[in-house]
Amino acid sequence: MKLLDISELSKSTGIAASALRHYEEKGLIASIGRRGMKRLFAPDIIDQLALINLGKAGGFSLDEIKTMFGPDGRPALSRQKLHARVDELDRQIERLNALRDMIRHVAECPAPSHMECPKFQKLIKISSKRSLGNSPTAPTWSRSK
């Protein structure tokens, strides 16, 4: 088994050595020794780092990701937490799609002035309510102009 020093690991994964040290400090990964001043890692750390990156891409915090590994460093994924995150992502996608449609409408609105557009007026009202915390979800807009 060829051990990887931190610079080799950083080069092979594209993860900065400072991030690897941070992950180790947070308890997400563990080095298994040192070669001089450099930390050494087992080759299977690459899979663990891939899962950390996937968790980060999925919007999980490092503390949440830490709970997704057992004491041996192997994945111990909570399906309930994963389902909750999927539901949250679906809500986020819905809000982003609505926002995209609103911005598209504003960009393509045929009204002489945005202030003359009924949909734009509605958007302003909804936006002000959301900024005041009165509207928990984004509206559903049609793509028609």
Side-chain angles (χ1 to χ4, degrees):
M1 160 172 88
K2 181 185 182 310
L3 300 179
L4 302 167
D5 70 38
I6 195 165
S7 60
E8 293 169 325
L9 184 59
S10 176
K11 185 177 179 181
S12 68
T13 62
I15 300 171
S18 59
L20 295 170
R21 287 189 291 273
H22 180 69
Y23 292 168
E24 187 173 20
E25 288 170 16
K26 299 275 293 176
L28 289 159
I29 62 173
S31 60
I32 58 171
R34 290 187 179 265
R35 180 183 307 135
M37 295 297 293
K38 292 185 177 183
R39 292 169 169 89
L40 294 175
F41 296 91
D44 61 350
I45 197 77
I46 292 173
D47 291 337
Q48 198 170 349
L49 290 168
L51 286 171
I52 291 169
N53 280 339
L54 183 60
K56 286 175 53 181
F60 289 100
S61 70
L62 291 181
D63 289 334
E64 290 170 321
I65 293 169
K66 183 178 177 180
T67 68
M68 296 179 184
F69 290 99
D72 60 355
R74 296 177 56 109
L77 304 173
S78 163
R79 293 181 192 275
Q80 183 179 2
K81 286 181 183 178
L82 293 173
H83 281 293
R85 184 63 186 139
V86 166
D87 293 343
E88 187 179 327
L89 285 170
D90 284 341
R91 288 187 298 274
Q92 190 176 10
I93 289 166
E94 185 178 313
R95 288 190 304 268
L96 288 170
N97 282 335
L99 179 60
R100 178 204 58 216
D101 292 345
M102 287 185 261
I103 292 171
R104 180 177 287 133
H105 173 76
V106 171
E108 298 172 356
C109 181
S113 161
H114 288 103
M115 297 311 289
E116 296 174 42
C117 175
K119 280 191 175 183
F120 187 71
Q121 290 294 327
K122 187 176 179 180
L123 169 62
I124 290 172
K125 288 178 186 171
I126 291 168
S127 178
S128 68
K129 286 180 183 178
R130 289 199 70 198
S131 67
L132 296 173
N134 296 331
S135 179
T137 59
T140 303
W141 284 61
S142 68
R143 288 187 169 203
S144 63
K145 295 177 190 163

